[in-house]
Amino acid sequence: QKHLLGIEGLTVEDITGLLDLAEEFVILNRQIEKKRTTLRGRTQINLFFEVSTRTQSSFELAGKRLGADVMNMSASSSSMRKGETLMDTAVTLNAMHPDLIVVRHHASGAVALLARKVDCSVINAGDGAHEHPTQALLDALTIRRNKGRIEGLTVAICGDVLHSRVARSNIILLGAMGARVRVVAPSTLLPPGIERMGVEVARDMREGLNGADIVMMLRLQRERMNGSYVPSVSEYFHYFGLDEKKLSYAKPDALVMHPGPMNRGVEIDSIVADGAHSLIREQVEMGVAVRMAVLEALSRNLPNA
Ligand code: CP
């Protein structure tokens, strides 16, 4: 494939191939010498219209470890602040002959639109509430390394499913890989018709976490709740915040995940976030390996490769 715009459209073989390749980069990244030359001479632009810590920094590290020249651009420092459109920005950057553009944008579908305007490969680093494919891939890698498989596991995705591109990408990926996926949220934070994505739906944590192998918590995305109901933090934490008591509803060996950034005391208690069941730091490590795998896989289809 030329682009990675979403998990939708990837086959099980595509996903497994990327995870297997990422395993090699996990080993490389734990060595002193971490550099490869796959992207030597190539230019990677990271174009972020929304803030990011994990995704932007790991794409930068991933590109540099593969030998690319990496340029970071944010909306706040670009001419979009002077009224330039996304499409004009894309055409402008395209004229500089990049080989890869990594894009995060607040509008669903914006990354796919941009991909149609440029000649190079485009990677979706999160578009609105649509998809965040590399997050789902790094989550899958983390699960597979800790549970030895994905197929047959029960994964509870809990919290603000309505506004979450992470939930959407994970639902598609985990379902394709044979996991049983359950979303757990108040009705106000569930997209209408979510059942059609092949998930079970629970509206309280006791029911939702029952028998879960993986408990994946989502951030309460208050910045996306313009005009809609915003739950009070204390009420939300009481009913849906993951603490030790609620985690005890899941299997005894259940593992806890969170894509970050975490809101401690809102969707997750610090005792659980930093506890023995938590995979949250490992998810960050897997993020660099998965993004190296995606860059390497796409580099095979670059012109003159
Ligand atoms: N998980 C995630 O996308 O984190 P950032 O917003 O920090 O990139």
Side-chain angles (χ1 to χ4, degrees):
Q1 301 207 6
K2 184 176 178 187
H3 307 300
L4 177 65
L5 301 177
I7 297 297
E8 199 160 28
L10 295 187
T11 63
V12 170
E13 290 71 33
D14 292 332
I15 294 166
T16 306
L18 286 169
L19 299 185
D20 292 345
L21 185 54
E23 291 282 6
E24 292 176 29
F25 290 119
V26 175
I27 296 166
L28 181 75
N29 287 338
R30 289 179 180 178
Q31 293 171 4
I32 309 258
E33 174 59 55
K34 303 173 177 63
K35 291 275 257 186
R36 287 262 176 99
T37 55
T38 319
L39 293 179
R40 192 163 58 194
R42 301 292 189 177
T43 303
Q44 172 188 331
I45 299 178
N46 296 335
L47 181 58
F48 277 64
F49 296 101
E50 275 189 339
V51 293
S52 167
T53 297
R54 282 145 286 267
T55 312
Q56 183 163 0
S57 58
S58 59
F59 264 117
E60 181 175 355
L61 271 182
K64 286 180 173 170
R65 284 182 186 172
L66 292 175
D69 296 316
V70 183
M71 187 184 92
N72 287 307
M73 268 192 73
S74 68
S76 57
S77 60
S78 79
S79 284
M80 293 211 43
R81 287 197 61 186
K82 299 178 190 163
E84 189 164 63
T85 65
L86 172 64
M87 290 310 127
D88 283 338
T89 305
V91 169
T92 300
L93 293 176
N94 191 52
M96 300 178 196
H97 301 294
D99 299 287
L100 296 137
I101 304 186
V102 179
V103 189
R104 170 169 287 189
H105 197 275
H106 46 81
S108 300
V111 182
L113 209 60
L114 185 145
R116 296 215 289 267
K117 291 278 175 193
V118 298
D119 301 314
C120 64
S121 291
V122 173
I123 302 173
N124 183 357
D127 62 327
H130 176 227
E131 279 233 40
H132 192 349
T134 55
Q135 179 69 46
L137 287 164
L138 77 87
D139 290 341
L141 183 64
T142 309
I143 294 171
R144 199 176 77 164
R145 287 174 63 85
N146 282 275
K147 291 289 185 186
R149 67 196 163 100
I150 295 172
E151 189 173 6
L153 296 178
T154 298
V155 181
I157 303 178
C158 310
D160 186 358
V161 180
L162 179 64
H163 301 101
S164 178
R165 54 197 176 208
V166 174
R168 229 186 106 73
S169 290
N170 264 301
I171 288 168
I172 300 168
L173 187 153
L174 295 169
M177 300 297 281
R180 180 176 171 187
V181 182
R182 198 180 288 152
V183 293
V184 190
S187 299
T188 47
L189 294 178
L190 283 171
I194 183 81
E195 296 87 350
R196 288 199 292 276
M197 291 189 79
V199 296
E200 299 168 15
V201 177
R203 288 182 175 79
D204 79 75
M205 292 289 271
R206 183 187 283 272
E207 179 197 348
L209 267 54
N210 183 29
D213 298 285
I214 300 288
V215 181
M216 189 181 286
M217 300 307 298
L218 300 172
R219 184 172 66 86
L220 193 62
Q221 298 188 40
R222 280 175 285 186
E223 77 277 15
R224 295 194 206 276
M225 295 181 187
N226 302 330
S228 62
Y229 168 70
V230 182
S232 90
V233 166
S234 58
E235 190 183 30
Y236 185 80
F237 184 72
H238 178 73
Y239 288 107
F240 288 95
L242 187 67
D243 54 15
E244 286 183 305
K245 180 158 187 286
K246 294 193 194 80
L247 183 57
S248 74
Y249 305 148
K251 282 186 180 169
D253 62 349
L255 296 171
V256 175
M257 301 176 73
H258 192 305
M262 277 188 287
N263 286 155
R264 294 169 183 264
V266 181
E267 70 270 355
I268 193 163
D269 191 38
S270 281
I271 303 257
V272 175
D274 303 325
H277 293 254
S278 174
L279 296 177
I280 295 168
R281 279 182 213 139
E282 190 173 328
Q283 285 173 267
V284 177
E285 182 187 357
M286 295 307 119
V288 181
V290 153
R291 284 159 185 139
M292 290 173 83
V294 168
L295 291 170
E296 173 142 333
L298 292 183
S299 77
R300 293 172 189 151
N301 295 324
L302 292 176
N304 306 320

